[in-house]
Amino acid sequence: MSSKIIPSDSGRQNRIVVEARREREQREKTYREKALKLYPWVCARCGREFSGKKLRELTVHHKDHNHDYNPPDGSNWELLCIYCHENEHSRYEDSATYSEVTPGENQTPDSGYKPFADLEALLKKKKE
């Protein structure tokens, strides 16, 4: 089986990629502009303030990680600096990869073992 791309397919793929990038940029412009009008130019995690040329380092993070859900009131957005934004997505991907529990969700132990189950009774006996 050959993995070579036929030239006509390559051109078609390039057009599809270019169009997808253009659509994403247009979508980002609309919600980014709205978010910058709604919220102060401060990273919601580290508190760093932005203005001027540095404003490009402030990104819009979708709280539910759904980039297509952009309510006009901005309830699914928060402004994060590029470093905190990257950290947030890394944490999200790690939690999805290594556990079935999402960030902020309560974890229940897999085993029934409770190491401190009788501790209270033992301490009461010791006091007596």
Side-chain angles (χ1 to χ4, degrees):
M1 206 174 216
S2 176
S3 63
K4 292 182 180 179
I5 298 174
I6 300 171
S8 63
D9 284 346
S10 176
R12 181 174 176 256
Q13 287 177 343
N14 286 340
R15 285 191 305 274
I16 291 170
V17 169
V18 166
E19 182 64 27
R21 286 182 178 157
R22 186 178 1 198
E23 287 176 8
R24 186 189 72 210
E25 288 171 3
Q26 289 296 335
R27 187 174 62 236
E28 285 176 355
K29 282 181 184 177
T30 58
Y31 69 75
R32 178 174 165 73
E33 294 301 319
K34 288 178 185 176
L36 289 173
K37 288 178 184 176
L38 286 172
Y39 297 110
W41 297 350
V42 176
C43 176
R45 294 289 151 81
C46 67
R48 191 170 144 206
E49 295 183 20
F50 292 85
S51 63
K53 289 183 179 181
K54 296 281 185 179
L55 187 60
R56 68 176 181 246
E57 295 178 13
L58 193 60
T59 62
V60 179
H61 172 66
H62 290 80
K63 294 177 185 178
D64 69 354
H65 297 273
N66 179 358
H67 291 247
D68 293 323
Y69 178 57
N70 296 303
D73 66 349
S75 59
N76 189 36
W77 305 327
E78 62 183 344
L79 296 178
L80 299 177
C81 69
I82 56 175
Y83 307 107
C84 292
H85 197 176
E86 178 64 29
N87 181 273
E88 178 66 24
H89 280 275
S90 295
R91 287 180 34 210
Y92 181 78
E93 289 173 11
D94 288 347
S95 71
T97 302
Y98 296 111
S99 72
E100 294 180 11
V101 179
T102 58
E105 186 178 322
N106 289 334
Q107 290 186 353
T108 56
D110 292 20
S111 70
Y113 179 68
K114 297 180 182 176
F116 302 109
D118 296 328
L119 183 61
E120 186 176 359
L122 291 171
L123 289 173
K124 282 183 181 180
K125 279 184 183 180
K126 196 167 191 174
K127 284 184 182 180
E128 296 173 352

